[in-house]
Amino acid sequence: MTELKLYCTIATQSVVEILIPRFEAAHRCRFSVVWNTAPPMVKRLQAGERGDVLLLNKAGVETMKSIGRLSDSSIQPIASVAAAVAVKAGAPHPDLSTPESFRETLLKARSLCYSHPEAGGASGIYIARLLQQWGIEREINAKTRFPPPAGLCAQLLLTGEAELAIQQKSELLQVEGIDIVGPLPGDLHFVTHFVAGVDTQGTHPALAKAFIDLLVSPEAKALFRDKGLDPA
């Protein structure tokens, strides 16, 4: 049976996991999937690994395009998602009405979780830079629990290790028992765009293109909306 290799960001995982078995049944193939944030996957691909479909953030796709691993004709915008704040279901919702109130919310929180910037997640890198800009990174990180690489911050809400979780909305929604408070306010609003393409070093380009076509189908767009993303 034909095996299709997919490198896929965890932000889109909740949708892609639903589409994979449908595609496998229709095309009599099977997937081998690498789930991670984009930067570690890009490093693996640059080091010599090969895929068929690459579903990465926009920056990752630009990097792979620059080294000839993606052609313009195969590149397709898929979806986007905003960074958001979540609490355990039933917990009080903090004030996110302005950038200033968000900063105060972080300072007042007993504990919080966001992706470690070294893990490569876009929201984690953004929050780390924001904390540095505000000059409060040491104070906030002293009470921060980081998830494992490619982990879900909202899981720490359920264990009580974190009072607040900040991550891309689609990643937060992969965990049941939490409430989305809202996106980051005002000019702090942060959106990541996800793009797919066919690896020029892959072995099944026609099948890879067919899967990307599925990712932009009306069926997939409905799933993306349901899982907290905005389809392209």
Side-chain angles (χ1 to χ4, degrees):
M1 181 179 289
T2 300
E3 182 175 278
L4 204 61
K5 187 69 174 287
L6 167 65
Y7 287 76
C8 185
T9 61
I10 59 172
T12 60
Q13 183 174 348
S14 57
V15 173
V16 174
E17 282 183 327
I18 296 172
L19 295 174
I20 281 176
R22 300 178 186 180
F23 189 86
E24 289 176 331
H27 293 269
R28 297 183 179 180
C29 64
R30 66 179 181 180
F31 275 83
S32 172
V33 186
V34 176
W35 306 107
N36 209 325
T37 55
M41 291 191 291
V42 168
K43 288 181 181 179
R44 290 172 60 171
L45 292 161
Q46 289 175 315
E49 293 189 23
R50 300 179 182 184
D52 291 297
V53 180
L54 310 183
L55 177 45
L56 309 170
N57 62 17
K58 188 175 181 180
V61 164
E62 289 298 324
T63 298
M64 298 310 296
K65 178 183 171 183
S66 71
I67 60 173
R69 292 289 295 272
L70 292 172
S71 63
D72 282 333
S73 60
S74 79
I75 294 173
Q76 177 66 57
I78 301 300
S80 61
V81 66
V85 179
V87 296
K88 188 175 181 179
H93 286 201
D95 184 0
L96 303 181
S97 58
T98 66
E100 293 75 18
S101 64
F102 175 59
R103 181 179 184 277
E104 287 304 309
T105 289
L106 296 181
L107 290 169
K108 291 177 181 178
R110 294 189 300 272
S111 57
L112 67 149
C113 178
Y114 68 92
S115 299
H116 199 295
E118 292 182 2
S123 63
I125 293 171
Y126 177 75
I127 293 298
R129 288 174 178 169
L130 183 61
L131 297 179
Q132 290 176 349
Q133 177 185 326
W134 282 341
I136 59 173
E137 69 273 21
R138 292 184 65 181
E139 183 175 355
I140 298 301
N141 286 340
K143 56 184 180 181
T144 295
R145 288 294 304 275
F146 295 107
L152 300 174
C153 290
Q155 290 179 337
L156 276 70
L157 297 175
L158 303 186
T159 63
E161 295 173 84
E163 185 177 63
L164 300 177
I166 308 168
Q167 204 168 25
Q168 291 167 341
K169 183 179 178 181
S170 58
E171 295 168 334
L172 295 171
L173 286 174
Q174 291 181 42
V175 179
E176 296 183 0
I178 62 105
D179 289 338
I180 301 292
V181 180
L184 304 188
D187 59 6
L188 301 183
H189 190 65
F190 179 74
V191 175
T192 303
H193 297 267
F194 300 100
V195 184
V198 178
D199 191 345
T200 57
Q201 294 186 10
T203 53
H204 306 291
L207 207 54
K209 176 62 167 57
F211 185 67
I212 293 174
D213 289 343
L214 176 60
L215 291 173
V216 295
S217 67
E219 172 191 13
K221 289 183 178 183
L223 287 170
F224 279 119
R225 291 189 189 97
D226 184 58
K227 300 298 184 180
L229 296 104
D230 294 315

